[in-house]
Amino acid sequence: SHDIRADIDPADLEWLIDRGMAACAFGVESGIERHRNEVLGKALYDDEIFRTQGILRKHKISYVASYLRGVPGETFLMRTITTKFADRVGGHPMFYQYERLERGPLWAQL
């Protein structure tokens, strides 16, 4: 398994697949492009994610896409959008719960 960026150059991804990559993981963090880039500083766009997803699916490569939940400022609507986005991206989505250590999990504050 390889950790890649979802915005990997398609030629580089094909190179990895040609050399036997059978599975990979990449971080998406948020299903909201603007939040992902302006707040979380990811510099990752939806079209790049779906381009990579398409290549992986074409080659039947298993993949894990990871997301963050409970980041400061996240609303219920934002969480819902990210969950629906994860459904569209597919693969094996993994959600990490962000915690504010000084006060405990953010969900407990809602």
Side-chain angles (χ1 to χ4, degrees), residues 5-6 11 14-15 18 24 38 40 49 64 72 79-80 91 95 105:
R5 279 193 51 99
E14 294 280 358
W15 185 90
D18 288 345
C24 65
E38 293 179 14
L40 302 176
I49 295 166
V64 171
R79 186 176 294 192
T80 301
F95 292 89

Side-chain angles (χ1 to χ4, degrees), residues 29-30 35 39-40 67-76 78-80 82-83 95-102 104-110:
E29 317 322 347
S30 174
H35 185 257
V39 176
L40 302 176
Y67 304 86
L68 296 174
R69 280 201 174 137
V71 296
E74 181 184 51
T75 66
F76 180 78
M78 292 168 74
R79 186 176 294 192
T80 301
T82 294
T83 300
F95 292 89
Y96 292 96
Q97 181 67 38
Y98 179 92
E99 293 185 1
R100 294 176 55 182
L101 298 178
E102 72 276 11
L106 185 60
W107 60 266
Q109 299 172 32
L110 298 178

Side-chain angles (χ1 to χ4, degrees), residues 2 15-23:
H2 290 59
W15 185 90
L16 289 169
I17 293 167
D18 288 345
R19 279 142 189 87
M21 183 178 80

Side-chain angles (χ1 to χ4, degrees), residues 7-45:
D7 61 355
I8 187 172
D9 183 285
D12 292 340
L13 182 55
E14 294 280 358
W15 185 90
L16 289 169
I17 293 167
D18 288 345
R19 279 142 189 87
M21 183 178 80
C24 65
F26 53 86
V28 175
E29 317 322 347
S30 174
I32 303 168
E33 185 176 80
R34 185 173 179 182
H35 185 257
R36 180 186 324 126
N37 294 325
E38 293 179 14
V39 176
L40 302 176
K42 188 74 174 166
L44 176 63
Y45 299 92

